[in-house]
Amino acid sequence: MQAQYDADLKLFVNGAWRASEDRQAVLNPATGQAQAEVPLASAADLDEALAAADRGFKLWKATDVEARAVILHKAADLIRERAYRIATLLTLEQGKPIGEAKGEVIGAAQLFDYYAEEAKRAYGRVLVRPTGQRSIVIKQPVGPVASFTPWNFPVYLMAKKLAAALAAGCSVIAKPPEETPGCTSAVMRALADAGLPVEVAQLVFGVPDTVSRHLLASPVIRKVSFTGSVPVGKHLMRLAADGLKRVTMELGGHAPVLIFDDCDLERTLDMLVPQKFRNAGQVCVSPTRFYVQQGVYDRFVEGFAARTSGYQVGNGLDPASKMGPLANGRRPDAIAALVDDAVAKGAKLAAGGERFGDGFFYKPTLLADVPLDARIMNEEPFGPVGVARPFETEEEAVEQANRLPFGLAAFAFTENGRRANRLGDLIEAGMVGLNTFAISGADTPFGGVKDSGFGSEGGPEGLDSYMVVKAIHQA
């Protein structure tokens, strides 16, 4: 497997990285062992990428939208053809089960297909004016884009930014995580093989703060798109402010799940547990804070714990594994600290709660009766831990759902249609799932409110975020 990883990494990168004395080890999360090294970009590398993006934007914005669409569709086809190989790289680098990895890769291909067509519908307006006068409103690409994406969905999140930006006519400098160079390079290789001019999309790895400061200090970059933590997002916004660069921020979450006593509890649990432990809980919209109405609370805890205790965890390349390791060595320690704090403050450990194995594994965990002053009730765990506490009234549940500064995703399960309508209005989140966890798709806006950021990715809103509006008046 290691030999195949090395061969695929070389194939997809194909000499695109310049030699560098600064390198970072790439670890296999299932073993904790190094499996490759990624060169880190120097200031000269970043300057070269900026110059290429500047040239590429002039070329790409003048390219007919139909020609752009052909390339994006071809890239989608190549990603599908290479899906299993890219997914294997993803699992080796990030740890998620191979089935989840392949689903992520296929989702990335769907994004390129969607935006290849959506770009053709970036319509403007013709305003009503007297005879002989014309006033029109058009949309144009904002300019070269710097995108920054995290390690939890390295292929899909990078593709979400690339697909929309390229469809709009922008050039892009993409900085994916250093933990996952193989799978992200494979996406860029598919674009190149599809015929994307080399100046239009650049891929850089490096020390995150060094890369962000260098790119955002350049007048070449006109837009910044970031997915990651709240503190880093605020830091990038400060850097972007000096150049008045447009920003899209998809930041952290701490998704509440309101479970009412009129829901189909067994069906809800069957849906909920796999969603909680998808990607080992390393999902910004992962259901985490479970507020359960008193009448079904005990049954909920018992049913959740039973499903959690039997959850198969192991190497993501093993088809039997439902959950893989956490993505890096920092995460198990961070999760253990949150669990220990909650138990010390009175929470009950209903399932899991310990590390195991040689890699970065942590057992799927459920905490019950968690007090509000526990850190995990206020800080995004970003790991395989669910926390539960009871409520009595709908008003109390909504108050708890809106208690934190986060507002990315929220979920509710009830068979009362009037209540579902109220919850959709009252819950403060950019996305609300009512009796479903399906809140993300190529054609849907994805984004949050409050400290979870602003701006949307996905859907026509995602395309608009890479365009500027111009009004042209003629008499």
Side-chain angles (χ1 to χ4, degrees):
M1 184 62 70
Q2 181 61 48
Q4 185 62 53
Y5 174 84
D6 293 341
D8 278 347
L9 190 60
K10 290 178 181 177
L11 170 66
F12 289 128
V13 174
N14 195 25
W17 293 333
R18 72 168 64 240
S20 172
E21 295 181 359
D22 295 323
R23 295 173 177 268
Q24 178 174 311
V26 180
L27 305 183
N28 183 332
T31 65
Q33 301 300 308
Q35 58 187 346
E37 288 185 331
V38 56
L40 304 181
S42 65
D45 294 328
L46 297 174
D47 285 338
E48 185 173 341
L50 286 164
D54 193 30
R55 297 192 305 271
F57 175 57
K58 296 180 178 65
L59 169 67
W60 191 240
K61 73 175 181 179
T63 301
D64 181 75
V65 68
E66 295 286 351
R68 290 184 216 152
V70 168
I71 292 174
L72 295 182
H73 279 309
K74 179 61 176 176
D77 291 342
L78 291 173
I79 290 170
R80 288 191 187 91
E81 289 174 13
R82 302 168 182 176
Y84 185 78
R85 295 172 68 186
I86 299 174
T88 301
L89 290 168
L90 174 52
T91 294
L92 285 167
E93 294 175 332
Q94 199 271 346
K96 66 182 59 179
I98 188 68
E100 288 186 23
K102 188 174 181 181
E104 178 177 340
V105 175
I106 296 301
Q110 291 171 346
L111 287 166
F112 284 107
D113 272 336
Y114 174 79
Y115 279 112
E117 295 302 314
E118 190 63 25
K120 303 173 187 177
R121 295 185 284 271
Y123 306 127
R125 291 185 292 144
V126 177
L127 308 182
V128 178
R129 292 292 184 266
T131 301
Q133 298 181 22
R134 290 289 182 270
S135 289
I136 63 173
V137 180
I138 64 172
K139 298 177 182 180
Q140 294 183 313
V142 64
V145 173
S147 78
F148 301 88
T149 46
W151 42 258
N152 58 329
F153 290 91
V155 168
Y156 185 79
L157 292 177
M158 187 179 82
K160 181 174 277 192
K161 299 179 190 299
L162 275 171
L166 293 174
C170 299
S171 59
V172 184
I173 300 177
K175 189 218 155 301
E178 287 65 43
E179 292 93 338
T180 57
C183 59
T184 49
S185 295
V187 173
M188 197 64 79
R189 173 54 53 191
L191 283 165
D193 290 347
L196 187 73
V198 294
E199 302 96 332
V200 175
Q202 311 297 310
L203 190 70
V204 299
F205 297 94
V207 178
D209 190 53
T210 300
V211 174
S212 59
R213 287 183 184 276
H214 196 102
L215 295 183
L216 271 62
S218 170
V220 170
I221 298 299
R222 303 295 298 275
K223 164 74 188 283
V224 180
S225 185
F226 171 73
T227 299
S229 70
V230 175
V232 175
K234 291 180 178 180
H235 170 67
L236 292 179
M237 287 179 64
R238 294 185 190 100
L239 295 179
D242 285 339
L244 290 177
K245 303 179 192 302
R246 293 179 60 176
V247 296
T248 295
M249 293 284 151
E250 194 264 280
L251 307 180
H254 201 328
V257 187
L258 309 186
I259 305 210
F260 291 86
D261 55 15
D262 66 348
C263 78
D264 183 336
L265 185 60
E266 294 302 313
R267 177 177 178 273
T268 298
L269 285 166
D270 287 343
M271 294 169 59
L272 191 154
V273 172
Q275 283 294 322
K276 171 64 259 182
F277 301 124
R278 179 171 70 105
N279 198 21
Q282 299 166 128
V283 183
C284 56
V285 296
S286 179
T288 298
R289 293 183 288 142
F290 303 109
Y291 298 104
V292 186
Q293 201 156 25
Q294 190 71 59
V296 295
Y297 179 74
D298 290 341
R299 287 173 53 206
F300 173 87
V301 172
E302 180 182 354
F304 195 119
R307 289 165 172 80
T308 298
S309 297
Y311 216 71
Q312 182 68 36
V313 182
N315 191 310
L317 293 177
D318 182 349
S321 296
K322 293 183 178 179
M323 189 184 97
L326 295 167
N328 57 60
R330 303 183 300 275
R331 298 311 307 152
D333 292 338
I335 296 301
L338 290 172
V339 171
D340 291 346
D341 171 78
V343 171
K345 290 175 177 171
K348 298 176 183 178
L349 186 62
E354 60 182 328
R355 299 184 60 159
F356 71 98
D358 296 328
F360 308 139
F361 290 97
Y362 196 92
K363 287 188 176 180
T365 299
L366 174 65
L367 294 169
D369 303 344
V370 185
L372 290 179
D373 63 346
R375 286 178 53 206
I376 201 167
M377 288 298 292
N378 301 281
E379 302 174 20
E380 181 182 23
F382 218 64
V385 184
V387 294
R389 58 179 290 117
F391 72 85
E392 293 186 3
T393 67
E394 178 183 322
E395 291 75 18
E396 178 188 354
V398 171
E399 179 184 5
Q400 289 301 312
N402 293 338
R403 181 177 62 88
L404 298 184
F406 302 107
L408 188 59
F411 307 93
F413 290 83
T414 178
E415 293 302 308
N416 185 313
R418 291 181 183 274
R419 175 186 288 142
N421 287 337
R422 289 194 300 270
L423 294 173
D425 287 340
L426 295 173
I427 293 175
E428 297 172 352
M431 298 165 287
V432 179
L434 300 172
N435 297 321
T436 182
F437 290 105
I439 61 172
S440 176
D443 60 349
T444 61
F446 190 101
V449 298
K450 302 193 291 188
D451 276 10
S452 291
F454 52 83
S456 293
E457 295 184 303
E461 294 85 357
L463 184 68
D464 284 345
S465 73
Y466 293 98
M467 306 186 93
V468 293
V469 173
K470 177 185 287 186
I472 302 174
H473 306 279
Q474 180 179 356

